[in-house]
Amino acid sequence: MTNAEKYTKVFTDLFNMDAGGVKKLHYQDIKEWDSVGHMTLIACLEDAFDIEMDTDDIIDFENYEKGKEILKKYHIDVDA
């Protein structure tokens, strides 16, 4: 599984949406992505990629695309 597939799978599994839907998703667009859902998403991504995000990155993680930018800081390319 590529990093891009792994990244998308975290979103699709957590929010029970298809890949096309999660790619347009922003924080609080759906009830599942509330503050608790946000921390669950972060924890799942940290587990999937074996990283620990800084607090500023967790706060800035506002949508699917921004998350890809943030992961690049941790040397994880999810654009492929």
Side-chain angles (χ1 to χ4, degrees):
M1 180 180 297
T2 67
N3 283 342
E5 292 168 333
K6 192 185 305 185
Y7 180 69
T8 300
K9 185 172 178 5
V10 169
F11 276 85
T12 59
D13 288 354
L14 183 61
F15 298 129
N16 198 26
M17 296 177 70
D18 62 39
V22 297
K23 291 178 181 179
K24 302 173 190 168
L25 198 57
H26 288 75
Y27 177 60
Q28 295 187 336
D29 274 355
I30 57 172
K31 66 179 181 171
E32 292 83 5
W33 197 355
D34 58 5
S35 59
V36 173
H38 186 71
M39 293 311 297
T40 303
L41 173 64
I42 297 300
C44 290
L45 289 169
E46 288 179 332
D47 287 346
F49 294 105
D50 195 28
I51 59 170
E52 187 173 329
M53 289 189 212
D54 293 332
T55 302
D56 288 342
D57 291 332
I58 294 169
I59 293 167
D60 290 343
F61 200 114
E62 62 188 22
N63 62 52
Y64 180 91
E65 289 300 321
K66 181 68 174 181
K68 290 175 18 175
E69 291 175 28
I70 290 170
L71 287 180
K72 285 181 183 176
K73 293 181 182 179
Y74 300 92
H75 308 290
I76 299 166
D77 183 10
V78 293
D79 286 325

